Amino acid sequence: MKPVAELTEAEARDELARLAEAIARADQAYHGRDAPEITDAAYDALRQRNAAIERQFPALVRSDSPSLRVGAAPAGGFAKVRHGAPMLSLGNVFNAGDFAEFAARARRFLGLGDDIALRFVGEPKIDGLSINLTYEEGVFVRGATRGDGTEGEDVTANLRTLATLPQRLRGEVPSRIEIRGEVFMTKADFLALNAAQEAAGERLFANPRNAAAGSLRQLDPRITAARPLALFAYAIGQASARPAATHWEYLARLADWGFSVNPLSRLLADEREAAAFEQEIAAARASLPYDIDGVVYKIDDFAWQERLGYVGREPRWAVAWKFPPEQATTTLLDIVIQVGRTGALTPVAQLQPVNVGGVLVARATLHNEDEIARKDVRIGDTVIVQRAGDVIPQIIGAVPERRPAAALPFVFPDRCPACGSAALRPPGEAVRRCTGGLICPAQAEERLIHFVSRPAFDIDGLGEKSVREFMQDGLLRTPPDIFRLPAHEQEIAAREGWGATSARNLVRAIEARRRIPLARFIHALGIRRIGAANARLLARHYGSYAAWRAEMAKAVQIGAEARSDLANIVGIGPTIAEELAAFFAEPRNLATLDTLAAMLQIEDAAPEAPEQARLAGKTVVFTGTLATMSRPEAKALAERLGAKVTDSVSRRTDLVVAGAEAGSKARRAAELGITLLSEAEWRDLAGV
Ligand code: IVH
C-alpha cells in the first residue's frame, strides 16, 4: 500500500471512495446484521487509512465519509423508493466574483440584455439532510431520503412523527406533487441530545446534521418521534401541475399549504441585492439557531429555470455560495488522553471555552501523537479552532507569536491513563493502544459485548443491551463475572423486562458455554488482531489451553524461542506476535485469564499435523474429468495435504486419481501397479 504522503490527489480521491464503501459494508455487517465479515484489526486499519488520507487531503473529505458517520444503517434497512424527478445537487461558488460569473452565464444562456432584471430568491443553506415528500390529493403518502439522487430510502413512518410536516395540505394543491425540503436539528437541540446520549452511555453525534440523519433513519419511529427534528420546505420535484409561476410565489404556496418556509428567504431584485444578501446572512450566521454553510440562490422565474435546465446533476438556475468554515482563537489549557472502547489513546485538547459560529467549544480532537507534533501545538499556546459544520471541532494550529516562553512540546504517555497498562504503538501505525484488554475499565464494555457475541462465547439472551445494563448496575465488570451471573438468577429475574423464564434461560445459556472450544475462547479475549481466523490458527498450533498459555507467557520475551515459534506460524507473523506478547506481558490480564480458565472447560483443538500432512511426500496425478471439483481445486487440495501434483505417471507416482473418461494415464498406472483412486475414494481420502 502506498504511503499516504505519496498519494496524488486523484489517487486519494479514488481510495477514499473505495474506503467509504468498504467501511460502510463492514458497518452494515457488524451493526446492521450483527455478523462481522472482517476482523476488528482489518476494520481499524481501514478507518485509520481513511483518517490519514483525509488529514492529508482535507478538501477531499466525502459527504458520506465514514469519519462523519455515527453508527450504521439499521438492520433490514428501509425499502428503496424511486423519486419521481431526480434530486439534484448544487454547484458551489465561494466569493462575489464566482457568483457574478454564475449570474452572467445564466444571462448569456437566456440572452438577457443588461436592461432586464434577473431576480433571485436567496435562502440560507441549512446543513441538514434533504428529503422528498409525495402528496396525493393533498395527503402525505410517502417520504424518502435523497439517497443517490435517483433512489432514496422510504422513511414515511418516521417523517410522520415530525410536528412540522403537514399530513394534509390546506387549500388547492396539484393532485400529485413532490415537495422537497431539509430536515435538520437546531444547535441547542443537538447539544441537549448529545448530553442525554452521553449520560445514557450512548454514542455521541458529531454534528447536528449527523444527529438529524441518525434520528430520521431509525427503524423504530418512536425513537424518531422523541428527537427534535425540524423541517423547512424549499423546492419542488415532479408535479401534475405547476402551482406557481415563480419560486417566490411557490414559497408562498408552501406556507399556505402548511409548511414551514425559512423566514430569512428573500426575493432579490438583481445580482447586487443577491451579493448583499450573502453578507447579511454571513453576519447573522453565528446567531442563527441552526448550522448553515452558505446561501442558496435560485433564479426566481420558473420558465427561465426550465429553459436553463441542468448540466450533469447541477441546475444552471441555482447555486450554493459556500461560507468558509467557522474559526476562532483560544488558549489550549491542557491535552487530556482519552481511552477509547477499543483501547485507542486519543489526545483531546481542553480549550478555554470559545464561541465558534454560535457553538461554545471547549474541547477538540488532536487525533494522535503525530498530529500534535506535526501541528506543533503545546499546552499554553493560542490555537486556531475550526468548526467545519461537518466535523468535530478541529485545531488548525498554533499562533507562534503568542507562545509562552515556557511551553514545552507535549510528551505522549506510554501508559494507559485508565488502567496503567503499557500503551503500545506498533511500527507504521498512528495510534497508540492500551494493552490491558481484560482489565482496562475504558474497554470493559466493548470487550464484554465481544466476549459474549456469536462468534465468541455465543451466549444466548446476553446481548449488547443487557451487557450495558448489567455493567451499569455492577453485575458485570470483567469476563469472569459472566460465569458468576448464575448466582444472581433471582436478582436478574426481578429486573425490569426479565422475569423468571428469561433469567432461567440466560443461566442455562451461560452454563452451556462453560465448555468451549479453544479457538472460540482465544477469539473471545478480544486481543487486537486476533479474530476468529487467527484464533483458529493459534488453537490448532498449540492444541490445548495449557500449552498456549505457557508458550505465550514465554513469548513475552523478545528473542525467546516461543516468540519466534509464534511469529513463524503461517498467517501470524511478527506483528501479531507482538500484540499477543503485549497482552501477556500485562500481569493483570494473565490473572484474569487464569480466573476464567478455572471456571471453564476449554476443549483441546484437533491437532494440525495429521490433517495437514495426510499426503506428505506423495506424488499425485489427476486424470479424466472430476465431477465434483475442478482440476485446479483438486490440485490445490492435494497440495494443501502435502502432496506434489504432476502431469505424467511414472514409477515415482504414488497415487492416480481417475475421473470420468480417464485414458492412457489410468492404464499406465495399472501397468505399474500404482494405486488408482476413483473420485469418491479421492474425496474420502482428502476428507472432503
Ligand atoms: S435546493 C436543485 N435549497 O443543499 C436544487 N438545497 O447541494 C436542489 N440545501 O441536497 C436543492 N438548503 O440538502 C436547496 N434552501 C435550500 C437548501 C438546500 C440546504 C441542501 C440540500 C441539497 C444540497 C445541495
Side-chain angles (χ1 to χ4, degrees):
M1 199 167 23
K2 213 168 175 183
V4 172
E6 287 171 37
L7 290 178
T8 66
E9 195 169 318
E11 287 170 337
R13 184 177 292 118
D14 284 356
E15 207 181 331
L16 286 176
R18 271 200 307 278
L19 285 165
E21 200 190 294
I23 293 169
R25 191 163 356 102
D27 277 340
Q28 181 60 37
Y30 186 89
H31 299 284
R33 298 194 301 274
D34 251 7
E37 283 174 359
I38 59 172
T39 63
D40 291 358
Y43 179 77
D44 283 356
L46 290 178
R47 281 218 170 239
Q48 273 167 28
R49 177 85 177 163
N50 189 71
I53 299 176
E54 288 186 347
R55 264 198 307 285
Q56 185 85 4
F57 299 96
L60 297 185
V61 174
R62 300 166 58 90
S63 60
D64 66 346
S65 163
S67 61
L68 307 177
R69 204 149 19 85
V70 176
F78 297 96
K80 291 263 188 284
V81 270
R82 221 182 153 75
H83 306 309
M87 292 180 79
L88 301 150
S89 45
L90 292 172
N92 293 328
V93 299
F94 296 95
N95 53 50
D98 291 352
F99 178 73
E101 226 170 84
F102 159 78
R105 253 196 322 272
R107 271 186 181 281
R108 274 199 303 279
F109 190 98
L110 295 169
L112 301 183
D114 288 346
D115 51 330
I116 299 180
L118 184 57
R119 268 199 301 275
F120 297 90
V121 174
E123 300 162 4
K125 184 170 188 294
I126 295 188
D127 209 4
L129 67 149
S130 50
I131 43 138
N132 186 26
L133 309 166
T134 306
Y135 285 81
E136 284 171 5
E137 309 304 340
V139 177
F140 175 56
V141 293
R142 189 160 46 252
T145 60
R146 178 174 185 277
D148 62 6
T150 308
E151 230 181 37
E153 289 177 318
D154 187 335
V155 287
T156 311
N158 294 350
L159 283 167
R160 281 193 201 284
T161 69
L162 265 65
T164 45
L165 184 142
Q167 303 290 330
R168 175 180 286 279
L169 304 182
R170 295 188 298 244
E172 207 154 301
V173 190
S175 68
R176 192 191 138 79
I177 185 170
E178 288 181 334
I179 290 163
R180 272 109 194 238
E182 199 85 352
V183 169
F184 64 97
M185 198 177 281
T186 65
K187 297 180 207 175
D189 284 336
F190 158 70
L191 293 174
L193 173 62
N194 256 2
Q197 292 280 110
E198 187 158 25
E202 303 279 337
R203 276 172 189 258
L204 299 189
F205 294 104
N207 53 58
R209 208 252 312 265
N210 261 265
S215 301
L216 189 60
R217 299 181 72 251
Q218 288 286 339
L219 266 197
D220 183 350
R222 282 171 303 183
I223 299 180
T224 308
R227 301 277 173 83
L229 291 175
L231 164 72
F232 279 139
Y234 55 57
I236 187 167
Q238 195 186 50
S240 57
R242 198 153 66 183
T246 66
H247 184 64
W248 187 243
E249 231 181 82
Y250 175 61
L251 292 183
R253 285 294 83 70
L254 286 173
D256 294 343
W257 292 336
F259 285 101
S260 315
V261 173
N262 192 321
L264 297 173
S265 307
R266 187 170 318 153
L267 181 63
L268 305 158
D270 53 26
E271 286 90 333
R272 204 185 42 77
E273 278 193 20
F277 183 68
E278 189 270 344
Q279 299 253 300
E280 199 180 308
I281 299 297
R285 180 184 190 187
S287 60
L288 294 180
Y290 40 76
D291 269 337
I292 63 170
D293 58 354
V295 174
V296 178
Y297 292 96
K298 300 168 184 172
I299 289 178
D300 188 38
D301 189 319
F302 274 167
W304 283 352
Q305 286 192 7
E306 228 161 84
R307 279 174 60 199
L308 283 161
Y310 302 88
V311 246
R313 305 190 67 80
E314 293 169 7
R316 282 197 196 83
W317 47 266
V319 77
W321 185 334
K322 295 287 278 281
F323 295 148
E326 294 168 299
Q327 293 191 340
T329 57
T330 187
T331 311
L332 176 59
L333 300 175
D334 198 3
I335 296 175
V336 168
I337 305 296
Q338 279 186 352
V339 190
R341 309 213 276 194
T342 59
L345 269 53
T346 307
V348 178
Q350 310 289 308
L351 304 165
Q352 178 69 46
V354 62
N355 187 320
V356 191
V359 172
L360 203 62
V361 173
R363 290 191 301 181
T365 174
L366 280 164
H367 299 291
N368 56 51
E369 58 189 296
D370 288 350
E371 184 82 354
I372 300 176
R374 198 171 64 73
K375 290 182 174 156
D376 187 25
V377 287
R378 307 180 182 189
I379 295 168
D381 270 346
T382 297
V383 291
I384 303 164
V385 183
Q386 172 171 304
R387 243 176 28 97
D390 256 348
V391 270
I392 303 171
Q394 281 183 341
I395 302 243
I396 301 301
V399 183
E401 310 85 76
R402 296 179 57 185
R403 167 165 294 166
L408 295 174
F410 182 69
V411 181
F412 207 89
D414 57 5
R415 294 253 144 214
C416 169
C419 73
S421 301
L424 227 77
R425 182 177 169 191
E429 286 195 22
V431 175
R432 192 174 280 277
R433 278 171 201 277
C434 166
T435 57
L438 288 185
I439 47 134
C440 181
Q443 300 172 62
E445 196 171 281
E446 203 78 343
R447 293 300 173 120
L448 279 174
I449 289 166
H450 168 74
F451 193 88
V452 299
S453 70
R454 200 156 320 147
F457 266 79
D458 190 17
I459 296 179
D460 253 350
L462 195 54
E464 195 169 323
K465 193 163 151 265
S466 316
V467 168
R468 288 191 209 286
E469 286 173 8
F470 288 178
M471 287 191 79
Q472 240 154 40
D473 299 349
L475 272 173
L476 280 181
R477 206 170 43 85
T478 62
D481 292 339
I482 290 167
F483 298 95
R484 296 181 185 119
L485 282 177
H488 299 279
E489 183 175 338
Q490 305 304 325
E491 214 177 315
I492 295 169
R495 296 176 70 92
E496 204 187 306
W498 281 82
T501 312
S502 313
R504 193 171 339 107
N505 287 341
L506 174 62
V507 167
R508 279 205 196 121
I510 292 171
E511 297 298 352
R513 291 293 184 268
R514 283 196 198 261
R515 270 188 84 88
I516 181 124
L518 178 59
R520 272 181 184 266
F521 177 78
I522 295 175
H523 178 43
L525 300 176
I527 301 168
R528 206 166 128 71
R529 295 178 191 275
I530 307 297
N534 286 340
R536 263 197 305 277
L537 289 178
L538 293 169
R540 262 197 233 134
H541 186 83
Y542 293 99
S544 71
Y545 170 72
W548 180 61
R549 157 85 170 77
E551 287 303 297
M552 292 305 99
K554 288 187 228 160
V556 165
Q557 220 58 46
I558 304 175
E561 204 178 308
R563 176 69 161 265
S564 49
D565 180 40
L566 171 63
N568 284 335
I569 299 174
V570 177
I572 297 292
T575 313
I576 298 177
E578 191 175 333
E579 297 283 359
L580 280 157
F583 178 88
F584 278 87
E586 170 54 56
R588 289 167 299 168
N589 279 341
L590 277 182
T592 307
L593 201 56
D594 291 342
T595 308
L596 204 50
M599 302 169 121
L600 303 171
Q601 282 175 278
I602 303 171
E603 295 169 6
D604 291 353
E608 63 182 317
E611 169 69 23
Q612 291 276 317
R614 199 174 298 172
L615 294 177
K618 302 269 194 243
T619 302
V620 179
V621 174
F622 290 96
T623 178
T625 311
L626 299 179
T628 61
M629 61 179 81
S630 69
R631 190 64 76 79
E633 187 182 350
K635 182 165 183 277
L637 181 58
E639 284 169 353
R640 219 181 312 141
L641 296 171
K644 191 172 129 200
V645 177
T646 60
D647 274 340
S648 58
V649 178
S650 73
R651 283 183 198 287
R652 260 171 289 173
T653 308
D654 297 295
L655 279 176
V656 174
V657 179
E661 287 163 50
S664 60
K665 288 185 197 172
R667 275 198 301 281
R668 174 123 175 86
E671 283 164 25
L672 293 172
I674 294 167
T675 311
L676 203 59
L677 296 183
S678 70
E679 181 167 351
E681 287 167 327
W682 155 246
R683 288 172 63 86
D684 276 349
L685 176 69
V688 185

